[in-house]
Amino acid sequence: SIIIPVYNTEKWIEECLYSVLTQSIKEIEIICVNDGSTDKSKEILQKIASIDNRIIIINQKNKGLPATRNTGLNFAIGEYLLFLDSDDMFRNDTLNELMKIVNKGKVEVIYFDAFVYFMPEMIFDIKKVNYYKRNKSYGFMTGKELFSNIIMNEQFSDSACLMMIDREWLNKNKIKFIE
């Protein structure tokens, strides 16, 4: 299940959705939670959902990002969860690469890196470019070991968009976003 919170991202939502729809893995659900957008985001979502039944649209009054992600969690039925912000995109074959890791053995959470691209009108900031990139791979380990390692190496990033999570594990541990 890919959960996409949407709030006033008419400039990017179409590109975001197509980056998901064109993945080589097709057995996915795409949960778009429209958090009271006042631009054309809702109409764009409806247009794309009309041509692909994997897209589920949930409309709600504006509640903020954590509540919007929790709404998506309440509807998700996939074995694994991914969060993708509506102004972000997956690279080609992202889901396939993540599933290769899952197929090696049951995992609770996979942490991964991201690349930052700047719009032409934005100011380039080297700190932001490197913020989502770790210097090494940590392999398979317990959560405590991983957390200790990435904290000690100053490579912790708290973005929900940088992990794939086992839904059953998340529910069993009653993990939700703080609203």
Side-chain angles (χ1 to χ4, degrees), residues 134-141 146 149-150 153-155:
R134 293 177 185 87
N135 296 329
K136 67 179 207 166
S137 175
Y138 290 91
F140 284 83
M141 59 182 62
L146 176 62
N149 277 303
I150 60 177
N153 289 309
E154 297 179 352
Q155 294 187 321

Side-chain angles (χ1 to χ4, degrees), residues 96-108:
N96 188 48
E97 292 300 316
L98 291 169
M99 290 311 296
K100 283 181 187 176
I101 296 168
V102 167
N103 291 333
K104 290 179 183 177
K106 184 82 168 160
V107 294
E108 294 165 344

Side-chain angles (χ1 to χ4, degrees), residues 69-70 73-74 81 83 108-109 163 165-178:
R69 286 181 174 158
N70 285 338
L73 285 173
N74 293 336
L81 304 168
F83 296 94
E108 294 165 344
V109 180
M163 58 183 90
I165 307 164
D166 180 287
R167 184 176 59 86
E168 186 178 291
W169 176 83
L170 196 74
N171 289 336
K172 180 178 80 176
N173 289 287
K174 299 180 174 119
I175 299 172
K176 294 275 187 181
F177 291 92
I178 299 170

Side-chain angles (χ1 to χ4, degrees), residues 46-57:
Q46 290 170 330
K47 179 185 85 172
I48 298 171
S50 72
I51 59 172
D52 197 308
N53 63 2
R54 295 177 294 171
I55 299 172
I56 299 162
I57 301 171

